[in-house]
Amino acid sequence: MNNREGSRPPESLDAEAAEAAAAQNTATRAVRSGEHQVPPHSPAVTPVYQTAPFMFDSAEALVAGFERPDQRGLYSRLANPTVRVVEEKLAALEGAEDAVAFASGMAAISGTLGTLLEAGDRLLTAADLYGGTAAWLAWLVERHPSIELESIALDDLAERLERGVDERTRGVYLETPTNPLLRCCDLARVAAACQRLGVVLIVDNTFATPVLQRPLTLGATYVVHSATKYLGGHSDLTAGIVAGPATAMAEIRRTQRLGGACLDPHAAFLLARGMRTVALRVERQSENAARLVGLLRRHEAVVATYYPDDAMARRQMSAGGAMVAFEVRGGLPAANRLLDSLRLFTIMASLGGVESSVVLAAVTSHKNLTPAEREAQGIGDGLIRLSIGIEEGSDLEADLAQALSRVAG
Ligand code: PLP
């Protein structure tokens, strides 16, 4: 990433705190990092700084504050202490030098790629992407035709990179596991190829979360998240975060401050609260998911089950996660019947919450794609995507079994 003129120096995490966090396990980092003692009251939990401006006690302090905003309080589009908590937590969880929080996952993705890409650049992207990301990239190249995208099947990405890239190529963007088919990419191999070529690797880690997978430790340059999902974990906010090297984060923060896609302090408070329990939730959700995958794989009404538990997924993820996709015999009519028969799975267009949920990918996350594009990605009209929550696993299993029995009949 270029250091453009006028950019601010990196405002990275306190080095000592970062070193201490690196020695801790994920669950500990999720609870402990980003919390600072703030006199005179020193609340144990950072409160919502529900304010747009912050006060300065002198004209001199005002000038100094605007000379170098310190991310802890200035004007909330530029810096807010509650927002800073989630940035520090994510940086600690992903093992990054710094992080920048945004108003949504799409704001984080567009803010990151919008900072990275310049006229004439080429970006290699995995063919399987969240529909919103694919739609934003299509909009970008329509608006800026000198930017070129090269879409590559996830399985071919490493080989494509190993054949070399030209000097226009700035980076590679991918998700693993993917939405909705849960395909995985060999992160260590792709990251090694990127490092050899001197291009950046950006990984959307929304589905795995840093609890199960840490792309930066495998060699990726940036990690982006829809924090709306597992990091928040309660389906009550929208947020996004990017984490990576301090110099690059300073550039992205500058883009964000200029464009104004800042995270609201109240959403940040809810997000910090959610992040403290992310390890517990994701572990429980993964256990529940593995149990339901067993049922789906045995069931006569199911023609295909998608879940990342093959050897490669196991190498880079500590568990398969809480997303499961499957197809039932009988296509779309049977899929609709199944959705209507489920009692414990909320029909909703999101994922990653404490409640189990279900959608048809073709009409929600991938609605923006054309039918031909969906078919090329293997997303049939009847593909069902489950997001497994923290309810008792046996209750979820019984509910899915009764709904499947109605489809099989
Ligand atoms: N990345 C992935 C993998 C997603 O599933 C989503 C949303 O579903 C996004 C990014 C976009 O996040 P948001 O809805 O918070 O903008």
Side-chain angles (χ1 to χ4, degrees), residues 257-277:
R257 285 173 171 167
L258 290 170
C262 54
L263 182 59
D264 174 76
H266 187 248
F269 176 77
L270 292 174
L271 177 54
R273 182 184 171 112
M275 288 174 84
R276 293 183 187 105
T277 57

Side-chain angles (χ1 to χ4, degrees), residues 103-107 109 129-130 132-133 173 175 177-179 204-207 224-229 237-240 349-351 365 385:
S104 68
M106 282 315 305
I109 292 166
L129 288 182
Y130 164 62
T133 305
Y173 184 92
E175 295 167 16
T178 60
N179 181 358
D204 183 332
N205 201 29
T206 298
F207 272 32
V224 292
H225 281 272
S226 168
T228 312
K229 312 297 194 271
L237 60 95
T238 60
S350 191
L351 57 105
S365 58
R385 192 192 71 191

Side-chain angles (χ1 to χ4, degrees), residues 117-140:
L117 294 171
E118 295 179 354
D121 284 349
R122 174 183 289 140
L123 179 73
L124 271 52
T125 66
D128 295 42
L129 288 182
Y130 164 62
T133 305
W136 184 81
L137 285 167
W139 170 86
L140 180 75

